[in-house]
Amino acid sequence: MSARHADARVARVVAMFESITPADVSRLGEFYACDACFKDPFNDVRGVPAIERIFAHMFVALDSPRFVVRDIVAEGDQCFLTWDFLFRFRRFSREEQVVHGGSHLRFDAQGRVVLHRDYWDPAEELYAHLPLIGVLMRTLRRRLSAGAG
């Protein structure tokens, strides 16, 4: 999706997410307020240094991580993005993986993100693709699904 959006704050953040590189991590303070909150299934932090650590870890732990923003809904000082996160595991499969998720963002008066909350299902989107754990997750899903006989 193009970063072009009627709201310049949203367009700026989308462009950053879709093009972020390891060199950009130190620039996150340009996009996040100094006391911004970030929460996802693995992290719950406050402040730019903590958010920078999360993004830096992403580049250390994964090969070729990138975001593709699919949908944008914006109103007032908030927006919701749906996205695909594409990457390769460094230690496991060399196959490209895709996590489908969404982000709720809230902006301050200066147009910086003060709240970033990611929503995605680690069991379906991540664990199911790991060796051994994935087999267990798929077996549990089959046994627990309403269609199980």
Side-chain angles (χ1 to χ4, degrees):
M1 164 158 283
S2 168
R4 289 185 289 277
H5 189 270
D7 188 319
R9 302 167 300 182
V10 174
R12 188 170 168 262
V13 168
V14 168
M16 181 270 297
F17 286 141
E18 290 190 324
S19 65
I20 191 166
T21 68
D24 297 321
V25 171
S26 64
R27 295 182 45 238
L28 288 176
E30 298 172 25
F31 300 90
Y32 287 88
C34 62
D35 62 343
C37 296
F38 177 97
K39 183 172 179 152
D40 70 9
F42 300 114
N43 302 283
D44 188 356
V45 301
R46 179 181 289 274
V48 171
I51 295 168
E52 288 175 344
R53 281 191 296 275
I54 291 167
F55 281 88
H57 179 262
M58 173 184 76
F59 285 108
V60 168
L62 304 171
D63 278 336
S64 307
R66 63 188 173 92
F67 292 92
V68 177
V69 174
R70 299 291 181 193
D71 300 292
I72 302 170
V73 177
E75 186 171 325
D77 65 350
Q78 300 185 67
C79 77
F80 192 85
L81 310 173
T82 63
W83 41 258
D84 292 339
F85 177 56
L86 298 96
F87 63 94
R88 288 183 175 81
F89 288 113
R90 286 193 187 271
R91 295 184 184 179
F92 305 112
S93 168
R94 298 300 300 156
E95 219 175 285
E96 186 169 64
Q97 306 294 317
V98 180
V99 170
H100 307 286
S103 296
H104 173 214
L105 305 176
R106 189 169 41 221
F107 298 94
D108 65 11
Q110 290 74 43
R112 292 175 303 181
V113 176
V114 293
L115 170 72
H116 179 157
R117 174 96 189 246
D118 282 349
Y119 297 92
W120 57 279
D121 181 358
E124 178 181 351
E125 303 287 348
L126 186 62
Y127 302 149
H129 301 285
L130 295 173
L132 301 175
I133 295 173
V135 172
L136 175 63
M137 295 300 297
R138 289 187 294 276
T139 301
L140 284 173
R141 178 179 290 148
R142 278 193 304 273
R143 290 186 180 174
L144 297 174
S145 75

